[in-house]
Amino acid sequence: MTEPLAPQYNPSAIESALYAWWQERGLFSPDAGPGGPAATPYVIMMPPPNVTAALHMGHGLNNTVQDVLVRFERMRGRRALWLPGTDHAGIATQNVVERLLAKEGLTRFDVGREAFVERVWSYVHETGAAILEQLKAIGSSADWSRTYFTLDERLSRAVREAFVTLYEAGLVYRGHYIINWCPRCLTALSNEEAEKVETDGNIWHLRYPLADGSGHVTVATTRPETMLGDTAVAVHPADERYRHLVGRELRLPVVDRPIPIVGDEAVDPAFGSGAVKVTPAHDPADFEIGRRHDLPAIDVMTPEARISLAAPERFQGLDRFDARARVVAEFEAAGLLEKVEPHRHAVGHCYRCGTVVEPRLSDQWFVRMAPLARPALEAYTNGTLHFIPERRGDDYTQWLEGIRDWCISRQLWWGHRIPVWYCEADGCGRTRVSRTDLDACPACGGPARQDEDVLDTWFSSWLVPFSSLGWPDRTPDLATFYPGHTLVSAPEILFFWVARMIMSGLHFMGDVPYTHIYLHGTVRDTQHRKMSKSLGNGIDPLEVVERYGADALRYSLVSGMSVGTDVILDPNDLEGSFAAGRNFANKLWNAGRFILSNLAGPTRPLAGTPSAVHREELTLADRWILARCDATVREATEAYEKFRLNEAAGAVYRFLWSDLADWYIEQIKPRLYGDVPGGDVARAVATQTFDVALRLLHPVMPFITEALWRRFPGRPADASISVAPWPRPDARATDPQALADFELVQQVVGAIRGIRAEYGVQPGQTVRAFVSQNGGPPSRALERERGTIVRLAKLADLVLAEGTERVGGHAVLPDGTAVFVPLGDAIDVGRECARLGAEADRLAGLLASQAKKLGNEQFVSRAPAEVVTREREKLAAWTEQRDVLVRKRELLGCG
Ligand SMILES: [Zn+2]
Ligand SMILES: [Zn+2]
């Protein structure tokens, strides 16, 4: 890696080679052995991507943020572990393979469970984990030697251990409840997996006649087809309107079945008519009413959400929505449809396939969540957990306070099979929950059958902070790397994953898995739509890497986000979306090439040896850049610590681009070239500040910083910036006077450059300048930096006093310093006067017609207010431009 730097920055020529070199050296694989106090561990658990996933921009953002943080802490000397893995993703992966089967005209039932699971495994082996390679392309410094898969043997054992321990503690139970059912995926879902979507529907008001014909009761419903399974109508027992009817019988229309009217305190008399239909098999609230009144639960639907044999024959086999239309039609025909009102409400949809979820009564396994939620809530209220941004703590609290039991069984084939065996022997019938597979019933020796269902995918992923480290064994990894520190996630999985890991960590390990939870924004397009495959508005991060480099991708993502805000990218303009990163990388490469090629001459250390540079040898520019460098160290370090990554990147960007490349390097050229003495000092300062800046930038742009840093003279061949010590603040560099003085120099140069540009002075043409403060001579700093000002502003002469000439351009700096540049000898004043005169005439014409327009009563009174405002603003802007021109003409002495 000592070959000369290419003249053009070409990321693809450096990135993969550097990544391979990092990996070879094992820089991302921390040792779990005993280490000194300096090697405090720092752990981030990567949200495991689905094993079949392909890298998208959401992963790009999420993993860039994690990599920035882990690289920062690694350089701070911590034993930094970023632990990667992949998730078997039960429903998602099964759906993918089922779709492949469908192309062959087959269903999973055609091939059978065992063969199907084998097909999924071979699919996973063929295509799986490709995303991990893609993560390397964006520079992720994860410890691939510890990569896990949630279905591998080690983690499967942890899943079983967790299930059995929770069962033994009474925290896992089997229950007969209403769960969310996906009729397409044919499985139960947790409450979180049933995504609420605002949907336009109706409320149908249906009349149920009293059995004796003495009247009717009206009930309201958003799902009329469920009336086929009604087994009662409930009213509040104290409701005056209905109290006398409690205990009487209704004739359920369509089905023609007698059902009772029951009094139940859960009924809200103020809602609808105050009477509610009760369908215990198809609604969670009705299920509870049914239990209290011992009502039958009639399941009128098949798993596919067609009407079952429990309903009248003419409905059997109908799709639930066709049945809905038919039920409504029959009520209408019988004169029992009181009214229909449009109604917008939240309807649960399967988070994997988007099908409307059906509440369904069935036997499932649940985790009792309240006892797990309490300590998790406590960890937040006692200040152990920190959310970034803070407001996310409220979401966490609300979810935990309203938590319901977690349905963890899934009617899928791909996943961890539930470790429960049922004895099939007559007269025994015991249920056994076991850590090891059972062949026979331990009680009677009879045949034992394992539960058919698998566990929710999240039941394995909520364990990864410790299962990935070897739990339930007490491994050295577990002892060293649990608990971790930071979790970086998209807000969408706060409940699915982030909060559940806190519960499991507290329960199984007695400690939270991390203390800082950083929930970053979402990647969106310019219309603020989330990037997605189905919308076709995605950007492939690998394409960006190929065209602009991983560093450009990372810098653009990081600089485009602040804490909690979304990142906006334009899928139709890759160039524009990633230009910031690409341009910065180019600038850095060019500055780096210049600095490195000029470091060859003699240099001296800045401190630490007798030959070191003395403070008195430093010029104002040296003291200024050292002070700016120190300020940047402080600013960037604090910003990284507080997760304000864009501010950290911005601070280093300003330092490298403006302070170092545009000013300091330009300022020291005479010394570097030997035109004036002090080249050794300039080289020493340039080396140190550039080295520090590269280290500060490394977490965001790891490749280019490594490529440049490795080429410093005298650098050992095996040294890597990724483990170079993080720069520390240096109190000796603090120098407010130098900052103020050099800033004045910059402002004077900037003002003269501004005047040159404004009057069209040719770049090669020198000018004279007069600089004064309150009419008197300016501070000594300008005198000392006379050479710098003359060179950088291209001056023939600099007079530090008020001039007597009157023809030229002038500017006043914020501190009152006046800058005057005579232009008589620099430009053709006559031609400039003519140009300005023509421009002034054009503006005068515009102003006249604009004044006339706004003087027109009709226009002002009739046009929309914002149009009139816009026209007035135009008038004001043109007036100002005209005044500037008039002043310029005065200064140039135009006639
Ligand atoms: Zn589904
Ligand atoms: Zn038995």
Side-chain angles (χ1 to χ4, degrees), residues 423-425 428-430 441-447:
C423 175
E424 295 196 301
C428 175
R430 280 187 176 81
C441 168
C444 73

Short mmCIF file of all heavy atoms in Angstrom, two decimals, residues 423-425 428-430 441-447, ligand 2:
data_model
loop_
_atom_site.label_atom_id
_atom_site.label_comp_id
_atom_site.label_asym_id
_atom_site.label_seq_id
_atom_site.Cartn_x
_atom_site.Cartn_y
_atom_site.Cartn_z
N CYS A 423 -49.19 -36.53 24.79
CA CYS A 423 -49.28 -38.00 24.82
C CYS A 423 -50.55 -38.43 24.11
O CYS A 423 -51.62 -37.88 24.34
CB CYS A 423 -49.29 -38.49 26.27
SG CYS A 423 -49.56 -40.27 26.36
N GLU A 424 -50.41 -39.41 23.23
CA GLU A 424 -51.57 -39.86 22.47
C GLU A 424 -52.19 -41.13 23.02
O GLU A 424 -53.12 -41.66 22.43
CB GLU A 424 -51.17 -40.06 21.00
CG GLU A 424 -50.77 -38.73 20.38
CD GLU A 424 -50.75 -38.77 18.87
OE1 GLU A 424 -49.99 -39.58 18.33
OE2 GLU A 424 -51.49 -38.00 18.24
N ALA A 425 -51.65 -41.57 24.16
CA ALA A 425 -52.19 -42.81 24.73
C ALA A 425 -53.53 -42.53 25.41
O ALA A 425 -53.71 -41.49 26.05
CB ALA A 425 -51.20 -43.37 25.75
N CYS A 428 -54.16 -41.16 29.23
CA CYS A 428 -53.03 -40.39 29.77
C CYS A 428 -53.17 -38.95 29.29
O CYS A 428 -53.54 -38.08 30.06
CB CYS A 428 -51.70 -40.99 29.33
SG CYS A 428 -50.28 -40.01 29.85
N GLY A 429 -52.86 -38.72 27.98
CA GLY A 429 -53.11 -37.41 27.38
C GLY A 429 -52.34 -36.26 28.00
O GLY A 429 -52.75 -35.11 27.94
N ARG A 430 -51.19 -36.56 28.63
CA ARG A 430 -50.43 -35.49 29.27
C ARG A 430 -49.74 -34.59 28.25
O ARG A 430 -49.38 -35.01 27.15
CB ARG A 430 -49.37 -36.09 30.19
CG ARG A 430 -49.90 -36.53 31.53
CD ARG A 430 -48.75 -36.95 32.43
NE ARG A 430 -49.21 -37.30 33.77
CZ ARG A 430 -49.74 -38.47 34.10
NH1 ARG A 430 -49.89 -39.41 33.18
NH2 ARG A 430 -50.13 -38.70 35.34
N CYS A 441 -44.08 -40.67 25.74
CA CYS A 441 -44.59 -39.96 26.91
C CYS A 441 -43.80 -40.40 28.15
O CYS A 441 -43.73 -41.59 28.44
CB CYS A 441 -46.07 -40.27 27.08
SG CYS A 441 -46.75 -39.74 28.65
N PRO A 442 -43.17 -39.45 28.86
CA PRO A 442 -42.37 -39.84 30.02
C PRO A 442 -43.23 -40.45 31.13
O PRO A 442 -42.72 -41.20 31.97
CB PRO A 442 -41.75 -38.52 30.50
CG PRO A 442 -41.93 -37.55 29.40
CD PRO A 442 -43.13 -38.00 28.62
N ALA A 443 -44.54 -40.17 31.13
CA ALA A 443 -45.40 -40.69 32.19
C ALA A 443 -45.83 -42.12 31.92
O ALA A 443 -45.71 -42.99 32.78
CB ALA A 443 -46.62 -39.79 32.36
N CYS A 444 -46.30 -42.41 30.69
CA CYS A 444 -46.85 -43.73 30.43
C CYS A 444 -46.10 -44.50 29.36
O CYS A 444 -46.40 -45.66 29.09
CB CYS A 444 -48.34 -43.61 30.04
SG CYS A 444 -48.57 -42.95 28.38
N GLY A 445 -45.13 -43.84 28.72
CA GLY A 445 -44.39 -44.54 27.67
C GLY A 445 -45.13 -44.63 26.36
O GLY A 445 -44.64 -45.18 25.38
N GLY A 446 -46.32 -44.04 26.31
CA GLY A 446 -47.13 -44.09 25.10
C GLY A 446 -46.57 -43.15 24.04
O GLY A 446 -45.62 -42.41 24.28
N PRO A 447 -47.15 -43.19 22.84
CA PRO A 447 -46.66 -42.34 21.75
C PRO A 447 -46.86 -40.85 22.06
O PRO A 447 -47.90 -40.47 22.57
CB PRO A 447 -47.49 -42.77 20.54
CG PRO A 447 -48.72 -43.40 21.10
CD PRO A 447 -48.33 -43.99 22.44
ZN ZN B 2 -48.77 -40.59 28.42
#
